[in-house]
Amino acid sequence: MYFSIVNKALLLPEVQKFIRSFQGDISALAFKGSPFPGITVQELIQQVEGFQRMKRKLPSWCETEGIYFPPKMNLEQTSSEMTARYKASLISGGVMADITGGLGVDSFYFAENFDRVDHFEVNSELSHIAKHNFKVFQRDHVQCYNEDGLAALVENRYDFIYVDPARRHEAKGKVFFLKDCKPDVITYLEKLRTSCTTLLIKTSPMLDISVGMNELEGVFEIHIVAVDNEVKELLWFIHNKSESMPLIKTINFQKGKRQTFDFEYGGVSQATYSLPSNYLYEPNAAILKSGGFSQISENLNVDKLHLHSHLYTSKAIIDFPGRTFRITEVLPYRKQEMKKNLLGAKANITTRNFPEGVRGLRKKWKIADGGDQYLFFTTNKNDDKVVLVCEKLNP
């Protein structure tokens, strides 16, 4: 049964070389057929597509020959190597369970810090593929079980349980609410909490923080993880008993660096406001997702431009978790000023709390995309529409 899923012929050196070096048209390969005996063209295409999709997402895995990739539909929700490593760096212990194991990327990295990892996956093909890959990587302390992880909790207790509910529904397609995911962690939350010391739930980046807080009990930390300024995961850490307000941690991995900002959910913070000064700051995507706009102002001692603009300014430059700009000019948004200064210009445009969109502004003022100039169309604290002409100082 094991090798009926992982075809031994696909692991031969010449086949592995073909998979990793293929650069042609995959549709042409489908028409031409497999050049290897004992391997169907469908099997070969699955491995070529899997490798091409994962070589940026899982570079270390793709450097290892003999790794087997599942169908592409099973790769969509797989964690990236960067986010999986981050999760694994947060926890350690004796025995943990990944009850929605999938391809096993998260289990692979969790295993670096646990004595044993139980990987549960109800999909027989995925379970056997994960088992094969763990064997290639010599992760002998990861045990694969082709069964329902929730059912296994009846007889077992763990130091740590990880669950990544599937965000696809047979009838509704892609979903973002916890009640629509599988397994339904809301229904089984009490069982999950009492079966471990710490529970970690990974949810869609589209889930609203306040909605998650209303549905989940015992949350003590929420990690908002972004890569290259795109939110990838929301991580909810839960104890069996936790009555304090959770700590929100925002993390953005950007060009080899890590931008972080932490604050207490529900804490009272007071933002300050001013007109644009010397420097402009745009929070990264993880902070924008967190809603910690007053906390940024208070904790980093920067002023907001307006209650709803979510842009910040200061006289002296600071190390800010987001993009930093030097303001070279502040223009009132008026026809005469636009014609005189920006008509036909080339610039990067961002809008914040502004009634017109980027596409409309480009068309209206004939502003080409690109270049070293950055224009922020926004509203200041006096409710005046302004254009901030800037030069970028960091990503």
Side-chain angles (χ1 to χ4, degrees), residues 5-266:
I5 293 173
V6 180
N7 186 344
K8 278 185 176 181
L10 286 163
L11 310 179
L12 295 172
E14 61 270 25
V15 181
Q16 288 289 302
K17 183 178 179 180
F18 178 90
I19 291 168
R20 283 160 169 68
S21 61
F22 184 85
Q23 309 232 342
D25 185 352
I26 290 182
S27 61
L29 175 61
F31 180 78
K32 186 177 180 181
S34 171
F36 302 104
I39 300 175
T40 67
V41 70
Q42 290 81 9
E43 288 176 316
L44 195 60
I45 288 174
Q46 178 175 312
Q47 296 311 301
V48 170
E49 286 185 334
F51 176 78
Q52 292 181 351
R53 281 173 171 264
M54 293 293 106
K55 60 185 176 182
R56 293 188 66 181
K57 195 172 184 179
L58 294 169
S60 294
W61 280 42
C62 290
E63 289 172 1
T64 305
E65 289 193 4
I67 296 302
Y68 192 89
F69 298 99
K72 58 184 178 182
M73 63 175 293
N74 297 126
L75 296 176
E76 291 182 3
Q77 197 170 321
T78 298
S79 295
S80 69
E81 183 170 329
M82 183 172 290
T83 59
R85 283 185 183 277
Y86 173 73
K87 287 193 288 286
S89 72
L90 303 174
I91 57 171
S92 61
V95 183
M96 72 153 289
D98 180 349
I99 67 169
T100 50
L103 180 59
V105 174
D106 287 316
S107 289
F108 173 85
Y109 290 102
F110 284 138
E112 295 179 351
N113 297 322
F114 281 86
D115 297 331
R116 193 185 86 222
V117 175
D118 287 351
H119 173 282
F120 295 93
E121 174 53 53
V122 294
N123 182 302
S124 178
E125 181 178 11
L126 269 180
S127 181
H128 283 81
I129 289 172
K131 183 176 181 179
H132 164 81
N133 290 337
F134 290 137
K135 184 177 180 180
V136 172
F137 283 119
Q138 298 182 333
R139 284 287 199 265
D140 298 330
H141 59 301
V142 180
Q143 306 297 317
C144 291
Y145 300 94
N146 179 204
E147 59 184 271
D148 184 348
L150 279 172
L153 299 182
V154 174
E155 299 179 357
N156 297 284
R157 178 177 170 79
Y158 293 91
D159 297 317
F160 186 88
I161 292 176
Y162 173 67
V163 55
D164 178 8
R167 295 184 285 276
R168 281 197 175 276
H169 191 281
E170 292 180 1
K172 300 178 182 179
K174 209 163 189 178
V175 298
F176 305 108
F177 297 102
L178 286 172
K179 63 182 176 61
D180 294 326
C181 295
K182 188 177 181 181
D184 177 0
V185 294
I186 304 303
T187 299
Y188 295 99
L189 183 60
E190 186 61 27
K191 177 58 185 174
L192 287 165
R193 291 175 65 191
T194 56
S195 296
C196 63
T197 303
T198 305
L199 169 67
L200 171 57
I201 301 175
K202 170 185 166 183
T203 67
S204 163
M206 298 298 292
L207 180 68
D208 187 88
I209 299 294
S210 60
V211 172
M213 281 299 298
N214 287 334
E215 291 186 313
L216 296 171
E217 297 180 3
V219 178
F220 68 93
E221 279 187 6
I222 303 168
H223 293 229
I224 304 172
V225 185
V227 178
D228 294 331
N229 212 31
E230 180 183 352
V231 179
K232 297 293 187 180
E233 300 179 355
L234 300 185
L235 306 175
W236 305 76
F237 285 83
I238 296 172
H239 276 159
N240 190 28
K241 295 180 180 180
S242 181
E243 298 178 357
S244 60
M245 296 303 288
L247 182 67
I248 291 188
K249 296 192 171 189
T250 70
I251 306 94
N252 180 46
F253 295 98
Q254 186 88 28
K255 296 185 177 180
K257 297 181 179 180
R258 180 190 294 192
Q259 299 174 338
T260 62
F261 181 73
D262 305 342
F263 63 95
E264 183 184 284
Y265 178 81

Side-chain angles (χ1 to χ4, degrees), residues 333-348:
Y333 185 62
R334 293 197 292 261
K335 185 175 182 180
Q336 182 178 357
E337 294 289 344
M338 291 298 295
K339 280 188 172 182
K340 177 183 176 182
N341 296 282
L342 296 176
L343 185 66
K346 184 176 184 180
N348 305 275

Side-chain angles (χ1 to χ4, degrees), residues 342-346 360-369:
L342 296 176
L343 185 66
K346 184 176 184 180
L361 289 167
R362 288 198 183 281
K363 183 177 181 181
K364 185 176 183 178
W365 304 111
K366 298 180 174 60
I367 300 174
D369 189 19

